[in-house]
């Protein structure tokens, strides 16, 4: 289905990341992937030794898991979406290899107002915390798309997919507050970009709201088991699994689709319940 197609996969932290399931599914269907992870780049100013060693370890974990799960020939690059120069550097790298991509998965989120599963009330969120979550978790969909498009790296029939959850529109079993607002922005950006990119480049832009999943680093740092169980019981089909998500992402990324601007649920039906 994806023979001759190449997709950029962002957001792999390790083998349990949702993005890893998507990357595997693309490869199983004959496509190629380029994977990006967080790491130290030349554009980071004045990193403390602690921050540097954290980022080095983050990149090592990412690269080791990509090589183990997807093969040692899989291209891995550093990409920090909070640094515009890092996005441009990534574009320069793939340009120098004459690669054009057929789409990408945006699986990036960050919110410093959730610590050890405790969520800061909205009334205590600072402007900086608000903007940081918004920049990394929402604006990055614009900046990544814009850089790839303006560097002529997005094939015309390309397809973009990002990941969200029900908290973008409803107060849920686990009140995420700050990041929920960033996810709402991510979904709205999806719709606006679908219009712009569809007309400019024939490119589709969609978003999937997924069930709570504790397997990943982000999921484990934020969710409680009781919340995941609550969602599982409430959903007619139970919580969706990462494989279900990967299947649906593949469906949206595949060539010649006509679906765009869609916010789709892969959540076992949780969203239909009152
Ligand atoms: N786990 C869940 O319950 C769940 C449910 C629905 C949607 N999602 C969404 O799925 C996506 C992937 O999350 P996951 O659960 O696989 O967790 P994960 O921890 O595996 O992935 C989050 C990724 O974001 C990356 N990231 C953070 N800041 C970045 C930056 N500045 N530049 C580049 N990358 C950065 C991290 O390196 C990490 O790879 C996120 O958007 C998340 O909100 C997760």
């Amino acid at each position: 289905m994806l023979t001759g197609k190449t997709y950029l996969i962002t957001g792999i932290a390790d083998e349990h990341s949702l993005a890893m399931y998507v990357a595997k599914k693309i490869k199983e269907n004959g496509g190629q992937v380029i994977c990006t992870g967080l790491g130290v780049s030349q554009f980071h100013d004045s990193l403390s030794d602690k921050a540097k060693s954290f980022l080095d370890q983050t990149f090592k974990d990412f690269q080791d898991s990509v090589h183990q799960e997807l093969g040692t020939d899989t291209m891995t690059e550093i990409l920090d979406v909070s640094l515009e120069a890092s996005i441009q550097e990534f574009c320069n790298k793939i340009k120098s290899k004459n690669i054009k991509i057929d789409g990408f998965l945006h699986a990036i989120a960050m919110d410093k107002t959730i610590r050890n599963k405790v969520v800061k009330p909205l009334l205590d969120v600072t402007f900086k915390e608000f903007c940081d979550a918004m920049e990394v978790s929402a604006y990055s969909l614009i900046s990544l798309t814009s850089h790839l498009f303006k560097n002529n790296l997005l094939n015309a029939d390309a397809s973009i997919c990002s990941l969200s959850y029900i908290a973008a529109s409803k107060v849920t079993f686990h009140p995420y507050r700050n990041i929920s607002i960033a996810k709402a922005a991510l979904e709205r950006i999806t719709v606006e970009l679908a219009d712009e990119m569809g007309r400019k480049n024939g490119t589709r832009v969609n978003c999937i709201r997924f069930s709570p999943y504790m397997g990943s680093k982000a999921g484990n740092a934020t969710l409680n088991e009781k919340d995941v169980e609550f969602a599982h019981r409430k959903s007619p089909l139970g919580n969706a699994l990462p494989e279900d998500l990967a299947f649906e992402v593949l469906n949206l990324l595949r060539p010649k689709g006509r679906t765009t601007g869609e916010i789709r649920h892969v959540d076992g039906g949780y969203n239909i319940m009152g």
Side-chain angles (χ1 to χ4, degrees):
M1 193 206 273
L2 301 180
T3 307
K5 303 289 174 191
T6 302
Y7 296 90
L8 163 63
I9 303 294
T10 68
I12 293 180
D14 59 27
E15 65 273 29
H16 304 296
S17 290
L18 292 171
M20 182 65 93
Y21 287 84
V22 173
K24 279 199 226 168
K25 185 63 85 187
I26 288 173
K27 289 208 75 175
E28 272 165 38
N29 282 271
Q32 294 299 314
V33 292
I34 298 170
C35 299
T36 58
L38 263 183
V40 177
S41 80
Q42 54 178 305
F43 311 107
H44 283 103
D45 294 334
S46 57
L47 277 180
S48 65
D49 287 349
K50 194 173 161 207
K52 187 174 174 311
S53 86
F54 173 79
L55 278 176
D56 280 338
Q57 188 59 47
T58 301
F59 192 73
K60 187 178 179 309
D61 292 346
F62 150 74
Q63 203 171 40
D64 287 351
S65 57
V66 166
H67 287 163
Q68 189 183 313
E69 301 290 320
L70 305 171
T72 48
D73 57 343
T74 309
M75 189 172 162
T76 53
E77 295 292 342
I78 290 175
L79 176 68
D80 185 334
V81 293
S82 67
L83 301 168
E84 217 178 305
S86 170
I87 304 179
Q88 185 54 47
E89 172 73 358
F90 169 71
C91 290
N92 295 344
K93 284 212 170 124
I94 61 170
K95 211 180 218 176
S96 70
K97 293 187 196 306
N98 285 325
I99 297 171
K100 280 182 99 168
I101 60 168
D102 297 286
F104 71 88
L105 174 74
H106 179 287
I108 296 171
M110 189 281 299
D111 177 16
K112 289 187 180 149
T113 72
I114 308 177
R115 290 239 181 257
N116 301 324
K117 302 178 190 281
V118 178
V119 180
K120 231 187 203 192
L122 207 48
L123 292 179
D124 296 339
V125 171
T126 66
F127 183 58
K128 172 134 182 28
E129 287 167 338
F130 181 86
C131 291
D132 285 352
M134 199 59 100
E135 180 185 30
V136 171
S137 315
Y139 177 72
S140 58
L141 181 61
I142 301 180
S143 51
L144 200 47
T145 305
S146 169
H147 278 82
L148 289 166
F149 176 62
K150 290 177 184 166
N151 283 280
N152 197 23
L153 297 170
L154 265 188
N155 280 326
D157 183 33
S159 178
I160 298 167
C161 186
S162 66
L163 303 182
S164 183
Y165 43 74
I166 190 80
S169 65
K170 289 181 185 173
V171 177
T172 58
F173 45 90
H174 187 68
Y176 280 104
R177 308 299 185 209
N178 193 39
I179 188 73
S180 302
I181 297 165
K183 287 296 187 191
L186 178 77
E187 294 186 2
R188 190 65 211 157
I189 289 166
T190 298
V191 173
E192 299 295 341
L193 271 185
D195 181 47
E196 245 179 73
M197 291 301 296
R199 290 173 200 285
K200 271 193 179 21
N201 203 44
T203 294
R204 291 161 281 147
V205 191
N206 293 289
C207 182
I208 297 178
R209 289 181 180 173
F210 183 55
S211 294
Y213 162 68
M214 278 186 80
S216 64
K217 278 192 173 159
N220 195 261
T222 52
L223 289 160
N224 292 298
E225 245 154 61
K226 68 172 180 28
D227 299 321
V228 178
E229 273 164 26
F230 173 81
H232 187 62
R233 276 198 313 277
K234 194 167 171 185
S235 308
L237 299 177
N239 286 333
L241 300 173
E243 291 81 2
D244 303 319
L245 174 74
F247 184 81
E248 199 55 37
V249 174
L250 183 81
N251 189 38
L252 291 170
L253 292 184
R254 76 185 154 76
K256 301 196 179 5
R258 285 274 170 203
T259 301
T260 197
E262 183 114 321
I263 313 297
R264 185 164 285 187
H265 294 91
V266 176
D267 66 354
Y270 181 89
N271 70 95
I272 64 169
M273 303 308 291

